[in-house]
Amino acid sequence: MGMNVGSSSSSDAEVMVDINTTPLIDVMLVLLIMLIITIPIQLHAVNLNLPVGTPPPSDVKPEVVKIDVDARSIVHWQGVPVANGAELEQKMKDVAALATQPEVHLRPDRHARYEVVAGILAATKRVGLSKIGVIGSEQFIE
């Protein structure tokens, strides 16, 4: 009785059908590293060219035009009530035509209608006034 050392039985002769994924994973990792290295770094920033140094002192003080809107939504130009929007816009055009544009200070009352104040802001944009500020906005903070 001898042993069958070199022969294989039918149960040992199974074929391996699994794929070897180790080389595939290695290739994918190399491609991933190459992709990460070659993608440029994107910055989410806004680049501004700001002036350097101190600005020269200005001896000329700009004229200030005061536009007030009272609680009843009546518009006042330099303290004088304005009859309608056309008269207000004409005064704005006259001021916008000056060599040095004045600063426009808009001071609305907290009970004034929004459409009146928004109309004044739209008119300043339409006639070309660029120096406008809303004064007294601390009254809107509750």
Side-chain angles (χ1 to χ4, degrees):
M1 261 218 249
M3 287 178 73
N4 267 341
V5 176
S7 68
S8 63
S9 63
S10 64
S11 63
D12 290 340
E14 295 178 11
V15 177
M16 188 162 92
V17 292
D18 292 337
I19 210 169
N20 188 3
T21 58
T22 305
L24 180 64
I25 292 172
D26 290 344
V27 168
M28 294 303 290
L29 287 174
V30 168
L31 288 175
L32 180 66
I33 291 170
M34 289 176 58
L35 182 70
I36 290 172
I37 291 173
T38 58
I39 290 179
I41 297 173
Q42 295 189 6
L43 300 175
H44 298 286
V46 176
N47 296 328
L48 297 175
N49 293 327
L50 297 175
V52 179
T54 58
S58 175
D59 294 336
V60 178
K61 298 294 181 191
E63 180 187 351
V64 176
V65 173
K66 294 180 182 177
I67 301 175
D68 298 326
V69 182
D70 65 6
R72 294 177 297 163
S73 299
I74 297 174
V75 180
H76 298 272
W77 178 273
Q78 299 286 66
V80 179
V82 178
N84 55 19
E87 181 183 349
L88 177 67
E89 193 161 338
Q90 183 59 42
K91 289 184 179 205
M92 286 184 188
K93 285 180 185 176
D94 294 340
V95 168
L98 296 175
T100 57
Q101 282 192 359
E103 292 180 3
V104 177
H105 291 180
L106 175 63
R107 193 177 71 206
D109 188 82
R110 77 180 293 167
H111 299 295
R113 292 184 15 213
Y114 173 76
E115 63 187 25
V116 173
V117 178
I120 293 171
L121 290 172
T124 58
K125 174 92 172 168
R126 198 170 32 250
V127 299
L129 288 172
S130 59
K131 298 176 184 177
I132 184 163
V134 179
I135 308 299
S137 59
E138 63 273 356
Q139 66 179 330
F140 300 107
I141 299 173
E142 297 271 340

